Coordinates of all heavy atoms in Angstrom, one line a residue:
P107 N -138.3 -84.1 -73.0 CA -137.2 -84.5 -73.9 C -136.8 -85.9 -73.6 O -136.9 -86.4 -72.5 CB -136.1 -83.5 -73.6 CG -136.8 -82.3 -72.9 CD -138.0 -82.9 -72.2
I121 N -150.0 -84.8 -55.0 CA -151.2 -85.2 -55.6 C -152.4 -84.2 -55.4 O -153.3 -84.2 -56.2 CB -151.7 -86.6 -55.1 CG1 -151.9 -86.7 -53.7 CG2 -150.8 -87.7 -55.7 CD1 -152.8 -88.0 -53.3
A210 N -169.3 -101.7 -81.0 CA -169.4 -100.6 -80.1 C -170.6 -99.7 -80.3 O -170.9 -99.3 -81.4 CB -168.1 -99.8 -80.1
A225 N -165.6 -96.0 -91.9 CA -167.1 -96.2 -91.7 C -167.5 -97.6 -91.6 O -168.4 -98.0 -90.8 CB -167.8 -95.5 -92.9

Side-chain angles (χ1 to χ4, degrees):
I121 58 162

